[in-house]
Amino acid sequence: HGLYRGQYDACGLVSPQLPEALLQERDKQAKWHGIPALLQRLYASSHLNSDFAQTHTVLKELSSLLSMEAMSFVTEDRKTVQESSFPITYTFDLFGGVDVSCRSYMPIMYMNDELVKDCLSVLYNCCICTEGVTKNLAARDDFVLFLFTLMTNKKTFLQTATLIEDILGVKKEMIQLQGIPNLSDLVQSFDQQQLANFCRILSVTISEPDVGNDDKHTLLAKNAQLKRNISPSCAEVNQVTLLNIPGFIERLCKLATRKVSEATGTSNFLQELEDWYTWLDDALVLDALMLMATDEADHSNPESSDESTMGSSPLRHRLPQSMKMVHEIMYKVEVLYVLCVLLMGRHRNQVHKMLAEFRLIPGLNNLFDKLIWRKYTSSNHIVHGQNENCDCSPEISFKIQFLRLLQSFSDHHENKYLLLNTQELNELSAISQKANIPEVEALANTDRSLVCDGKKGLLTRLLMVMQREPPESSFRFWEARAVESFLRGATSYADQMFLLRRGLLEHILFCIIDSGCKSRDVLQSYFDLLGELMKFNFDAFKRFNEYVNTEEKFQMFLTQINSSLVDSNMLVRCIVLSLDRFESQTENMRVVEVLSECSLLSYIARVENRLSFLFRLISIINVQTLTQENVSCLNTSLVILMLARRRGKLPFYLNALREKEYAEKYPGCLLNNFHNLLRFWQHHYLNKDKDSTCLENSSCIPFSFWKETVSVLLGQDRTSLCAITNYIDEPYMDLDQDLLQD
């Protein structure tokens, strides 16, 4: 290397003036495979007036060398390649190959499609094999933006999209979509197949960076970051940019809901490749396969990538039906992800309106049995990686993304009733009428032309597969979350009864008590769903008592609750709230019957049990460890104290906490911790409208009473029987006044 120090030109390429004989001699010694000489020729022909035939010849040779090494790098020969002294791609990068590919060819790459393909292939193979090349490319903003302009060419679209996706995956700063030249025209020029692949790129640009599970994940850190970052994030700006592209959401809805081609003709094409999925693990690779199968139709119809013309291509018929399904599924995963992210953004209502207008939910309902949750038969081509027991299956990704979309769509939004069909909406109305309660306003306002078609709505179909799910299924968590989101918000008796009639409560109790489920995530999702299903509903508590009809079952249920209060506290909160409601309705004999017979209500009615829950809820959290996952423990403890305050028993509960501290021989520890938690609560909730609304709707306790109770508990008058400071003896006062500021 010392021989050539200083022998590089401004572009980073080895100088063309270096003696050829010396170069060849050193090449043989170092086994550079002729790379430096090829790069000299490439650089010499990288000008507008160059002989492109010569350029193409050199690029072809380089591409062939790099492709062979890239292929071995991603297969069993990977170890051998890494251990060799001078890998081809390393040598290519060392002598400035990446630089000349990026800088010198940007002006001329528009002039020859084959030149573009070979150049993109060279760069992509370098990214695969040589550490740091992808990061190097990601740091060149001008080159990244230039790549987007290449996406206008259909012949080079797949290679360009592949390279962009890899580059954005390692880019330190998120790219701003509004900086892409003529983005709106670019997106509108895509056919449906290209748009689906473009969603893979968009997913990186509209998602907030994952902060992981470290200290930055705490609510304390998040709140501090929000104070520093008042302006919208780059991801939020990118979301707005997409929403302003005419027809963008409508086309995504069409992609998400279009049917797989009905073509059934097959041949032996790729049938013998039993392990096809082990290498067709990228939708872009599958696209290359599809492009080959539809090449004939492309010559006659420029719109052949749409569903109608793809289905009519005779070559496409040669592809196995299972491959066509997986191809469509992998498209839909990306599309549903983008829609899901937009649904969770600041402009949620705008997105909701468009998704309803473009009939996303009815379209997904029509695909449910045939594609989303299709049954496998003996005629299906099932190989490793495609079955439901394999975590790498594209069908698993598709199902999970579908369930996440339903969760985002239903959560605290009146459009959730679009998940039902007309008959099911009528059933909800009849339930309300029979119970002599007003129909929910959102139900009355639902546009029936936008609801699901067919004999069953999407929610009912989901309930059916949920109840058939094997105990070890990875879908249980997501299914429970999706159904729970339908119930969240202001409690609706009709919604609860609709689900109770379909056996949901018995299914949940079976999973918690009898199925042997050990997954904490699944149990948490079932506890949360059970709480929403039973809250304020005496029929649900009666059904609970009918299922949990032995002491053994009840103790098993309590064991599951007590094993992790972080997971089960929402259920505890719903039971406490329901008991309080029922005790004020003793004129209703059905309620009185449930109060006297239900073992669960009797258990919570005992003060010592509520105090036990309160003590543990406050003990397992502190300000430094509060996250979105465990902050519910703080709110559940507040619910217990608010209800006690309503009944004039708040001093009794606070004194009980003080006595517990002394009994456990750490006086002041619990109450000091609770005091700090409540101070954080004020900082966190008094500035967040959505969270405060959720607290009010879910508890049926006015948020003003929440605020008032916290203020009373934080009162500085040490003589007040409702102030925490009254119960902390002077020697043990340790209130960290600077905690939140720090």
Side-chain angles (χ1 to χ4, degrees):
H1 291 289
L3 280 172
Y4 301 100
R5 193 166 294 157
Q7 295 294 320
Y8 294 85
D9 68 1
C11 201
L13 183 73
V14 62
S15 174
Q17 283 74 41
L18 196 67
E20 185 175 350
L22 181 63
L23 190 60
Q24 290 178 352
E25 180 183 352
R26 185 71 181 105
D27 191 302
K28 290 179 181 179
Q29 295 174 358
K31 297 180 180 180
W32 285 336
H33 303 278
I35 295 291
L38 285 171
L39 287 177
Q40 282 185 332
R41 292 166 55 194
L42 183 64
Y43 182 68
S45 61
S46 63
H47 307 287
L48 288 174
N49 297 323
S50 301
D51 180 1
F52 289 144
Q54 172 70 12
T55 306
H56 194 198
T57 300
V58 176
L59 268 178
K60 275 288 186 186
E61 191 170 347
L62 284 169
S63 179
S64 178
L65 285 170
L66 294 167
S67 296
M68 290 173 58
E69 188 168 276
M71 182 64 71
S72 62
F73 189 85
V74 296
T75 59
E76 295 178 350
D77 296 328
R78 185 177 202 170
K79 183 177 180 182
T80 305
V81 175
Q82 288 178 320
E83 291 178 351
S84 62
S85 301
F86 294 99
I88 296 173
T89 47
Y90 175 78
T91 306
F92 178 83
D93 184 39
L94 177 68
F95 283 93
V98 173
D99 289 312
V100 74
S101 299
C102 291
R103 298 178 184 176
S104 301
Y105 280 87
M106 284 173 60
I108 65 174
M109 280 177 70
Y110 291 112
M111 304 179 68
N112 188 299
D113 291 341
E114 294 304 317
L115 194 67
V116 174
K117 285 184 179 180
D118 289 333
C119 199
L120 291 172
S121 174
V122 165
L123 290 174
Y124 182 65
N125 289 325
C126 284
C127 289
I128 291 177
C129 299
T130 307
E131 184 180 1
V133 170
T134 314
K135 292 181 179 179
N136 185 348
L137 294 177
R140 306 179 183 208
D141 292 336
D142 58 336
F143 179 71
V144 175
L145 294 177
F146 167 73
L147 285 178
F148 278 96
T149 66
L150 293 181
M151 299 184 81
T152 57
N153 189 335
K154 186 174 182 180
K155 293 182 179 180
T156 59
F157 176 88
L158 294 177
Q159 293 90 337
T160 308
T162 307
L163 185 57
I164 292 176
E165 186 181 350
D166 283 2
I167 289 174
L168 294 186
V170 301
K171 191 170 176 61
K172 289 184 178 180
E173 295 181 356
M174 186 177 293
I175 189 172
Q176 294 188 1
L177 293 179
Q178 59 188 5
I180 298 174
N182 304 314
L183 175 66
S184 181
D185 293 338
L186 176 67
V187 173
Q188 292 181 79
S189 72
F190 292 155
D191 59 34
Q192 289 296 79
Q193 183 170 312
Q194 291 172 318
L195 182 61
N197 276 318
F198 190 60
C199 285
R200 295 166 65 91
I201 295 172
L202 293 180
S203 64
V204 183
T205 68
I206 62 175
S207 305
E208 296 292 351
D210 185 9
V211 295
N213 294 318
D214 54 17
D215 292 338
K216 296 178 182 178
H217 198 52
T218 65
L219 293 181
L220 196 64
K222 282 186 174 182
N223 287 354
Q225 185 176 5
L226 286 174
K227 288 181 179 179
R228 291 192 298 267
N229 302 330
I230 302 176
S231 58
S233 66
C234 185
E236 291 172 336
V237 173
N238 286 342
Q239 291 176 24
V240 174
T241 301
L242 291 179
L243 292 176
N244 289 333
I245 296 177
F248 177 71
I249 297 296
E250 181 178 10
R251 293 185 66 192
L252 290 192
C253 289
K254 288 181 178 179
L255 267 172
T257 59
R258 77 174 181 183
K259 299 178 181 179
V260 181
S261 172
E262 298 297 330
T264 57
T266 59
S267 69
N268 292 328
F269 180 59
L270 294 179
Q271 287 278 7
E272 296 178 359
L273 296 176
E274 295 182 357
D275 60 343
W276 64 270
Y277 183 64
T278 62
W279 54 274
L280 291 179
D281 61 345
D282 192 304
L284 292 167
V285 180
L286 281 168
D287 272 331
L289 204 67
M290 288 296 185
L291 203 60
M292 176 183 68
T294 56
D295 186 63
E296 181 179 301
D298 280 339
H299 289 294
S300 59
N301 190 336
E303 299 297 327
S304 62
S305 57
D306 287 341
E307 182 71 15
S308 58
T309 51
M310 282 198 292
S312 64
S313 169
L315 286 179
R316 184 183 175 93
H317 295 175
R318 298 171 58 192
L319 290 172
Q321 183 70 11
S322 59
M323 288 188 64
K324 288 193 290 184
M325 280 194 170
V326 173
H327 182 252
E328 189 68 20
I329 282 171
M330 294 177 81
Y331 273 162
K332 290 184 180 342
V333 170
E334 309 300 335
V335 173
L336 292 184
Y337 179 82
V338 170
L339 291 175
C340 189
V341 173
L342 293 175
L343 264 177
M344 296 186 293
R346 288 192 177 186
H347 300 272
R348 185 186 186 212
N349 288 334
Q350 178 186 353
V351 177
H352 244 295
K353 183 178 179 180
M354 289 189 284
L355 297 187
E357 178 185 350
F358 301 133
R359 295 180 56 82
L360 173 68
I361 297 302
L364 292 175
N365 187 48
N366 293 334
L367 286 180
F368 191 87
D369 292 330
K370 293 183 178 179
L371 184 65
I372 300 175
W373 235 276
R374 65 191 178 98
K375 296 180 181 178
Y376 289 99
T377 63
S378 57
S379 61
N380 285 121
H381 181 59
I382 304 175
V383 295
H384 173 73
Q386 194 184 0
N387 61 76
E388 291 189 352
N389 294 322
C390 179
D391 289 340
C392 59
S393 166
E395 297 213 18
I396 286 183
S397 299
F398 181 40
K399 289 177 179 178
I400 290 176
Q401 200 55 60
F402 164 76
L403 294 171
R404 290 185 64 190
L405 178 73
L406 290 192
Q407 178 186 357
S408 302
F409 188 87
S410 301
D411 192 22
H412 292 90
H413 203 282
E414 59 185 17
N415 275 353
K416 67 179 185 178
Y417 291 111
L418 298 182
L419 271 64
L420 310 181
N421 64 17
T422 301
Q423 293 76 15
E424 292 163 347
L425 292 176
N426 292 338
E427 181 181 345
L428 286 179
S429 300
I431 292 172
S432 298
Q433 185 176 2
K434 183 178 179 180
N436 197 28
I437 57 177
E439 186 176 84
V440 176
E441 184 178 355
L443 174 61
N445 293 336
T446 298
D447 186 344
R448 306 225 167 182
S449 67
L450 302 176
V451 301
C452 292
D453 308 312
K455 295 181 180 180
K456 300 182 186 73
L458 199 49
L459 179 63
T460 299
R461 294 182 190 276
L462 176 58
L463 289 172
M464 293 174 66
V465 300
M466 180 180 180
Q467 294 176 26
R468 294 197 302 262
E469 212 66 64
E472 69 280 1
S473 171
S474 58
F475 297 127
R476 283 187 173 223
F477 170 82
W478 297 105
E479 290 165 343
R481 283 282 178 250
V483 177
E484 184 212 347
S485 69
F486 181 81
L487 291 172
R488 291 182 69 184
T491 303
S492 167
Y493 174 80
D495 293 353
Q496 291 173 323
M497 292 306 299
F498 179 85
L499 298 176
L500 287 171
R501 287 179 174 183
R502 286 155 176 79
L504 181 59
L505 184 136
E506 290 77 10
H507 167 71
I508 296 172
L509 292 175
F510 170 81
C511 292
I512 294 175
I513 299 173
D514 301 316
S515 72
C517 178
K518 302 297 183 183
S519 168
R520 297 314 314 174
D521 288 337
V522 172
L523 284 173
Q524 182 185 32
S525 65
Y526 274 82
F527 282 135
D528 291 349
L529 175 55
L530 184 62
E532 292 296 335
L533 188 62
M534 295 180 67
K535 187 167 51 180
F536 305 138
N537 191 312
F538 52 82
D539 289 304
F541 280 91
K542 185 175 181 180
R543 286 174 180 248
F544 173 92
N545 220 45
E546 291 171 353
Y547 187 92
V548 187
N549 52 11
T550 66
E551 182 64 20
E552 182 183 2
K553 278 190 171 184
F554 184 64
Q555 289 304 320
M556 176 63 74
F557 183 74
L558 289 181
T559 299
Q560 291 283 49
I561 287 180
N562 288 313
S563 63
S564 177
L565 265 185
V566 172
D567 300 327
S568 63
N569 81 89
M570 292 294 291
L571 173 61
V572 173
R573 186 193 308 181
C574 290
I575 300 170
V576 170
L577 286 166
S578 299
L579 176 64
D580 184 76
R581 170 79 63 88
F582 295 157
E583 287 178 340
S584 66
Q585 297 176 336
T586 51
E587 71 283 355
N588 186 327
M589 295 309 298
R590 294 178 65 192
V591 174
V592 173
E593 179 185 352
V594 170
L595 279 172
S596 61
E597 296 180 359
C598 181
S599 55
L600 187 57
L601 290 173
S602 299
Y603 181 84
I604 293 296
R606 293 196 282 274
V607 176
E608 62 271 22
N609 292 332
R610 271 181 287 179
L611 282 172
S612 175
F613 280 127
L614 178 63
F615 177 79
R616 291 167 57 203
L617 287 168
I618 298 173
S619 300
I620 59 181
I621 53 176
N622 59 61
V623 173
Q624 290 86 353
T625 60
L626 273 182
T627 66
Q628 201 64 47
E629 294 299 316
N630 62 27
V631 70
S632 57
C633 294
L634 174 57
N635 290 321
T636 298
S637 64
L638 261 177
V639 165
I640 294 174
L641 292 177
M642 282 191 294
L643 298 181
R645 180 174 173 239
R646 275 183 175 177
R647 297 174 180 245
K649 295 182 179 179
L650 183 56
F652 171 81
Y653 276 75
L654 293 176
N655 189 61
L657 291 176
R658 179 179 183 276
E659 291 179 354
K660 182 69 173 177
E661 284 183 332
Y662 274 89
E664 299 288 340
K665 302 189 185 306
Y666 49 87
C669 181
L670 183 69
L671 289 172
N672 278 313
N673 181 49
F674 191 41
H675 193 280
N676 286 327
L677 285 167
L678 292 180
R679 289 175 57 224
F680 170 83
W681 188 96
Q682 286 183 322
H683 283 266
H684 182 71
Y685 283 101
L686 299 188
N687 298 314
K688 296 174 72 69
D689 294 336
K690 181 182 178 183
D691 281 349
S692 62
T693 302
C694 292
L695 289 178
E696 184 170 5
N697 288 340
S698 64
S699 65
C700 290
I701 298 175
F703 189 64
S704 58
F705 193 73
W706 285 78
K707 293 190 294 183
E708 186 181 310
T709 302
V710 171
S711 296
V712 168
L713 288 167
L714 292 178
Q716 297 181 3
D717 183 1
R718 289 181 55 80
T719 64
S720 170
L721 295 178
C722 293
I724 292 176
T725 54
N726 179 272
Y727 300 89
I728 305 176
D729 293 338
E730 190 68 37
Y732 305 113
M733 289 288 293
D734 186 30
L735 304 181
D736 189 351
Q737 298 299 325
D738 298 324
L739 178 67
L740 298 183
Q741 285 76 8
D742 292 343

